[in-house]
Amino acid sequence: MNRLLPQMVVTDDRIMCMLEAMDEVHLTKGELVLKQGRVSNYYLLLDGYMRGYTHDENGAEVTTNFFAGPRAVLDATSFFGRQPSRENIVTLTDCRGYLLTLDVLNKLFHEMPEFREFGRAILVRELVIAQEQKLAHINLSAEDRYRQLVERDAGLMQHAQLRHIASFMGVTDTSLSRIRRELANKK
Amino acid sequence: MNRLLPQMVVTDDRIMCMLEAMDEVHLTKGELVLKQGRVSNYYLLLDGYMRGYTHDENGAEVTTNFFAGPRAVLDATSFFGRQPSRENIVTLTDCRGYLLTLDVLNKLFHEMPEFREFGRAILVRELVIAQEQKLAHINLSAEDRYRQLVERDAGLMQHAQLRHIASFMGVTDTSLSRIRRELANKK
DNA sequence: GTGGGTTCTTGTCATTTGGCAAGTGTCGCG
DNA sequence: CGCGACACTTGCCAAATGACAAGAACCCAC
């Protein structure tokens, strides 16, 4: 379990066994994991990169998330609320992970008390990620946000397009281009 | 329960009874609910307003959250991870709610299966709030963020200071002042 | 009242960012 | 090879925001 989800609180052999007994789901680069209008699944991503995006009121695409395994990939509102999602999620690389439905998840919660804490820890981690990213927008400049992004996940830079990174950062691709030039000059 | 937490998924008489059997905790304006360095509690806020804040690397205060009842008030990392919090939370008005410890919460989870879904729904709601606020920073101008803030909770404006709202929005108080002037002129 | 502290606004100027258009580079396809 | 599509960069100017300092408004204790 530590190997799979290093930052998780729970390390339990039974959970590890249970997961490893499940069938791994493999996805190839470019696959649409979640389509706008459908109800989200719960994908326990082990390896690979994904990108989540929506559209703003002008119809322009907005990247809302990057996912790097190991991490839970889902639209929480859609998955738990059984509502159509407003997000799209697409793979940036080949991916490997486990696919969970709400039924399976609830069954696991019911049959395996230790799994409940595991599920809660995952939700808490998603919450922490969202809050950290929100904070980055509040008190970091675009340049600092970019630096932080690169430093925390250099691998992402190899798989995501700059315009998507720019849109995720909340700046135009023009601005990001300038920021990258400044950074290159400084070194 | 609908009365208490209108946006919650779960509406269950047993939970309602259980909550109403608990002692209400009353706080007065200006009280520090969570102090940096301590482990967070879980405050189920029914009525009132609160503000969460930290400090950036320069020591400047940054407002990270506004809470309007009914809502769960906690630092999730600190509460579930039993770690010292980096946040401070202070009441902006007199407040009314229930105070839960992790022990009590876990006991409720164990004894009352329907409470588990209730707890999960609260976590999901916090996640949705954080993601929405992050999205607002990505694709809304400062002026639009301010408009949205006013429209979604006019009451907040009566209790929070403008400089705190500015810091929450990620702009200087100078900028917010100008934005408010523009908006006033437009009408 | 008066004084002092705090909050908010305003002015001036520098910096950052956006919008737009043009230019460069890369890639795949016929 | 040449073409077009796409991603990225760059230049130019306008708009938004920040930094700093001064002033106005408000509150509150004495």
Side-chain angles (χ1 to χ4, degrees):
Chain A
M1 179 50 66
N2 271 336
R3 182 178 60 84
L4 299 186
L5 296 171
Q7 297 174 46
M8 296 285 90
V9 176
V10 185
T11 63
D12 187 292
D13 284 342
R14 287 189 59 199
I15 292 177
M16 189 149 131
C17 290
M18 184 276 303
L19 281 179
E20 292 188 345
M22 293 179 60
D23 283 339
E24 272 192 22
V25 174
H26 292 254
L27 303 169
T28 60
K29 176 176 173 176
E31 268 190 75
L32 200 56
V33 176
L34 171 59
K35 189 179 165 65
Q36 199 170 4
R38 307 210 141 203
V39 172
S40 173
N41 275 316
Y42 191 125
Y43 192 76
L44 211 49
L45 176 63
L46 300 177
D47 259 333
Y49 289 92
M50 297 191 184
R51 180 176 77 94
Y53 62 95
T54 353
H55 301 273
D56 65 14
E57 64 281 357
N58 307 320
E61 191 180 298
V62 182
T63 295
T64 53
N65 259 309
F66 286 115
F67 302 92
R71 185 169 166 193
V73 177
L74 76 161
D75 175 342
T77 326
S78 171
F79 181 76
F80 290 111
R82 301 284 93 188
Q83 301 168 17
S85 171
R86 286 191 285 112
E87 279 220 1
N88 298 277
I89 299 179
V90 66
T91 58
L92 296 176
T93 65
D94 290 357
C95 291
R96 195 168 61 81
Y98 302 111
L99 194 59
L100 302 175
T101 63
L102 184 54
D103 284 346
V104 169
L105 202 73
N106 279 333
K107 189 153 161 278
L108 288 173
F109 281 152
H110 184 259
E111 293 174 356
M112 248 167 93
E114 54 272 70
F115 192 78
R116 290 203 285 266
E117 203 177 335
F118 175 70
R120 186 168 76 185
I122 287 184
L123 259 188
V124 169
R125 179 143 78 108
E126 289 302 311
L127 178 57
V128 170
I129 290 174
Q131 284 176 340
E132 265 190 13
Q133 290 176 347
K134 178 180 109 183
L135 191 59
H137 277 277
I138 292 181
N139 65 1
L140 261 54
S141 66
E143 183 175 324
D144 286 341
R145 283 206 302 285
Y146 180 71
R147 252 199 296 260
Q148 179 178 303
L149 208 57
V150 174
E151 140 193 336
R152 292 201 179 174
D153 192 350
L156 179 63
M157 297 295 141
Q158 299 166 348
H159 302 295
Q161 296 185 358
L162 286 176
R163 64 202 186 98
H164 293 148
I165 293 174
S167 131
F168 177 67
M169 288 174 55
V171 300
T172 58
D173 52 350
T174 311
S175 265
L176 178 57
S177 185
R178 277 192 283 251
I179 289 170
R180 284 160 50 82
R181 192 209 309 164
E182 307 285 316
L183 278 180
N185 287 342
K186 284 183 184 170
K187 287 183 191 168
Chain B
M1 179 51 65
N2 271 337
R3 183 178 60 83
L4 299 184
L5 297 172
Q7 297 174 46
M8 295 287 91
V9 176
V10 185
T11 64
D12 187 291
D13 285 342
R14 287 189 60 197
I15 292 177
M16 188 149 133
C17 290
M18 184 277 303
L19 280 179
E20 291 188 344
M22 293 179 60
D23 282 341
E24 272 191 24
V25 175
H26 292 255
L27 303 169
T28 60
K29 176 176 172 175
E31 269 190 73
L32 201 55
V33 177
L34 170 60
K35 189 180 165 65
Q36 197 170 5
R38 307 211 139 200
V39 172
S40 173
N41 275 316
Y42 190 127
Y43 192 76
L44 211 48
L45 175 63
L46 300 178
D47 258 333
Y49 290 92
M50 297 189 183
R51 180 176 77 93
Y53 62 96
T54 351
H55 301 273
D56 65 15
E57 64 280 358
N58 307 318
E61 192 181 299
V62 182
T63 295
T64 53
N65 258 310
F66 286 114
F67 302 93
R71 185 169 166 193
V73 177
L74 76 160
D75 175 340
T77 326
S78 170
F79 180 76
F80 290 111
R82 301 284 93 188
Q83 303 169 15
S85 172
R86 287 192 285 113
E87 278 219 3
N88 298 277
I89 299 180
V90 67
T91 58
L92 296 176
T93 64
D94 291 356
C95 290
R96 195 168 61 81
Y98 301 111
L99 195 59
L100 302 176
T101 64
L102 185 55
D103 285 344
V104 168
L105 202 73
N106 279 333
K107 190 154 161 277
L108 288 174
F109 281 151
H110 185 260
E111 292 175 356
M112 248 167 93
E114 54 272 70
F115 192 79
R116 291 202 286 267
E117 201 178 335
F118 175 71
R120 186 169 76 184
I122 286 184
L123 259 187
V124 169
R125 180 143 78 110
E126 289 302 312
L127 178 57
V128 170
I129 290 174
Q131 284 175 339
E132 266 190 12
Q133 290 175 347
K134 178 181 110 183
L135 190 59
H137 277 276
I138 291 180
N139 66 1
L140 261 53
S141 67
E143 183 174 322
D144 286 341
R145 284 208 301 287
Y146 180 72
R147 252 199 295 260
Q148 178 178 302
L149 207 58
V150 174
E151 139 194 336
R152 293 200 178 175
D153 192 351
L156 179 63
M157 298 295 140
Q158 298 165 349
H159 301 296
Q161 295 185 358
L162 287 177
R163 65 201 185 97
H164 293 146
I165 293 174
S167 131
F168 177 67
M169 289 173 54
V171 299
T172 58
D173 52 350
T174 312
S175 263
L176 178 56
S177 186
R178 279 192 279 251
I179 288 170
R180 283 161 49 84
R181 193 210 305 164
E182 307 285 316
L183 277 182
N185 287 342
K186 284 183 186 171
K187 289 184 192 169

